Amino acid sequence: MAAGGSGRASCPPGVGAGAGSLGPSANAAAAPSNAAACAPVPPPPPSPPPGPGTDAQAVGDERDDAGPGALLREPVYNWQATKPTVQERFAFLFNNEVLCDVHFLVGKGLSSQRVPAHRFVLAVGSAVFDAMFNGGMATTSTEIELPDVEPAAFLALLKFLYSDEVQIGPETVMTTLYTAKKYAVPALEAHCVEFLKKHLRADNAFMLLTQARLFDEPQLASLCLESIDKNTADAIAAEGFTDIDLDTLVAVLERDTLGIREVRLFNAVVRWSEAECQRQQLQVTPENKRKVLGKALSLIRFPLMTIEEFAAGPAQSGILVDREVVSLFLHFTVNPKPRVEFIDRPRCCLRGKECSINRFQQVESRWGYSGTSDRIRFSVNKRIFVVGFGLYGSIHGPTDYQVNIQIIHTDSNTVLGQNDTGFSCDGSASTFRVMFKEPVEVLPNVNYTACATLKGPDSHYGTKGLRKVTHESPTTGAKTCFTFCYAAGNNNGTSVEDGQIPEVIFYT
């Protein structure tokens, strides 16, 4: 920010009048003029030293009222003697007319406040003030207007510069953070961010995320997003969710880690669109909801819903156009599935890094399909969450496959997770990701059956299969051990030695 006489800057959204008071305000009417306050004062006649019962603080602090930060009526002779440390002497000068050489008119209108200060102290604590008073474009004015700064936040900044004391609270923390950034006081910024971290909850995560993005605080924004991931339902139910801006909404909807069913996320986004219509003074109609959502609508993952959820909600909302509704119904009901304009990648509400293992050492051609499921049994030595399989694709070049994937609890024959979807391959011998709609919990030392029913041309397949495959975390060294076994019955020929379902994709 360029240094100048006024120190003006535009106030960002969300930072304005109404922040909580930091303490009793300085009364401009009661303050002496700058010339009178700063003129040399002759020493008064000698007086006897304070006796044992005299309050030394009272000798140095003859203030207009008893409140903290109140102005002195007049400079007091020998106040220095009552302040034995440098810290105490500088703290005494905070919001004090004694030795002041500049005044700030802080805030706007009736809430504005005239604050005395000392150029030297401010320049020592802030590069912005240093440039303002001592730089090439230094101001010579003794009164500087700061209409974009809240008086309480400015006093909190000065309190910190004069005494290292931090005075922030829930009502003033955001305006203080703004002021600390404006005047380049990173230590106070850090205190504000720490305060916000300690008070971060699901019900204020969206409000704090908006402010963190506004003030360019990536660490705080990351913590807010993590809180939203872990407590998505509570976060979107909070009042602050409908107050966020479109860019923040988009940033959240892009995440793969939200822990909520897509239909509930859609309902929350509809609530946001209604609030946004009112903010833009638009009639709350389906057309206007779609208009204010803009690119956010394309980030709702309608294919992750069940057909019942889609039919009961989004299909009847009027927000989607007829073409989109028809294509999604076809996606849910027919094979081969038509392409849709919406993301079908599952949201995995899991933390950490995605892992995968491949049970084959070599790839060959060709593997055919006639409607029978490829199946392989497996168990793991620790609790994991399976999010998908890697499957082989066509030997005939780029092709689309339809596929149903499942994980079945072998002993009870219960289907724990499935997805009826498709994938595109490029004709290479690579594996292609096919994901479940939601993570499937796999418990240690329990038998499960992985199934994949493909419709499409002959594909590659794996050979030289391994019965045991171990994944070792590159960061922690933790080992996840898979054991594969033959799945009895009709399995399209897939076995431990060769076949389909080469990869398991999972989180620990």
Side-chain angles (χ1 to χ4, degrees), residues 153 156-157 160 165-166 168 176-177 180 185-193:
L157 174 73
F160 185 76
E165 187 176 331
V166 179
I168 52 178
T176 303
L177 176 60
V185 184
L188 183 57
E189 284 182 48
H191 282 294
C192 292
V193 172

Side-chain angles (χ1 to χ4, degrees), residues 13-14 206-207 210 238-250 268-285 288-289 291-293 296:
F206 274 107
M207 183 274 290
T210 301
E239 200 172 305
F241 171 73
T242 56
D243 296 330
I244 64 177
D245 60 278
L246 179 60
D247 287 342
T248 301
L249 178 66
V250 167
V269 169
V270 171
R271 273 181 28 241
W272 180 90
S273 69
E274 292 167 352
E276 183 66 13
C277 283
Q278 293 172 349
R279 282 191 288 270
Q280 296 189 24
Q281 299 183 328
L282 298 172
Q283 189 176 356
V284 182
T285 64
N288 284 336
K289 291 179 191 177
K291 176 182 177 182
V292 299
L293 281 170

Side-chain angles (χ1 to χ4, degrees), residues 448-497:
Y448 298 89
T449 303
C451 301
T453 309
L454 284 84
K455 292 183 180 178
D458 292 350
S459 74
H460 295 89
Y461 70 97
T463 63
K464 296 186 178 180
L466 300 170
R467 185 169 297 274
K468 290 185 180 292
V469 182
T470 299
H471 177 275
E472 183 173 343
S473 168
T475 54
T476 66
K479 294 182 179 180
T480 306
C481 302
F482 287 76
T483 302
F484 293 95
C485 300
Y486 180 78
N490 197 345
N491 52 30
N492 200 41
T494 285
S495 65
V496 173
E497 289 76 23

Side-chain angles (χ1 to χ4, degrees), residues 245-394:
D245 60 278
L246 179 60
D247 287 342
T248 301
L249 178 66
V250 167
V252 171
L253 294 179
E254 287 175 338
R255 294 179 71 76
D256 290 336
T257 45
L258 300 178
I260 192 170
R261 292 196 64 80
E262 204 70 19
V263 68
R264 291 189 63 188
L265 190 60
F266 171 77
N267 292 335
V269 169
V270 171
R271 273 181 28 241
W272 180 90
S273 69
E274 292 167 352
E276 183 66 13
C277 283
Q278 293 172 349
R279 282 191 288 270
Q280 296 189 24
Q281 299 183 328
L282 298 172
Q283 189 176 356
V284 182
T285 64
E287 294 76 17
N288 284 336
K289 291 179 191 177
R290 182 184 179 98
K291 176 182 177 182
V292 299
L293 281 170
K295 59 185 177 181
L297 181 63
S298 66
L299 300 174
I300 300 293
R301 304 183 186 185
F302 296 102
L304 301 186
M305 301 178 187
T306 65
I307 188 171
E308 293 82 9
E309 289 171 337
F310 178 74
Q316 299 183 49
S317 68
I319 294 176
L320 296 174
V321 298
D322 291 346
R323 171 181 51 79
E324 292 166 336
V325 172
V326 170
S327 70
L328 283 163
F329 269 124
L330 291 174
H331 174 83
F332 289 124
T333 55
V334 304
N335 284 310
K337 294 182 181 297
R339 291 188 180 278
V340 292
E341 300 173 16
F342 300 96
I343 302 167
D344 62 0
R345 184 174 67 254
R347 297 190 193 273
C348 177
C349 54
L350 299 174
R351 309 287 299 283
K353 188 175 178 61
E354 182 183 283
C355 310
S356 66
I357 53 99
N358 192 319
R359 64 191 189 92
F360 295 120
Q361 302 178 78
Q362 190 170 315
V363 182
E364 299 285 353
S365 307
R366 74 178 43 175
W367 201 259
Y369 305 98
S370 57
T372 302
S373 300
D374 287 271
R375 301 161 72 239
I376 188 70
R377 211 170 81 195
F378 71 96
S379 63
V380 193
N381 70 327
K382 64 196 298 184
R383 178 174 176 255
I384 65 170
F385 291 88
V386 176
V387 295
F389 299 144
L391 302 178
Y392 290 120
S394 173

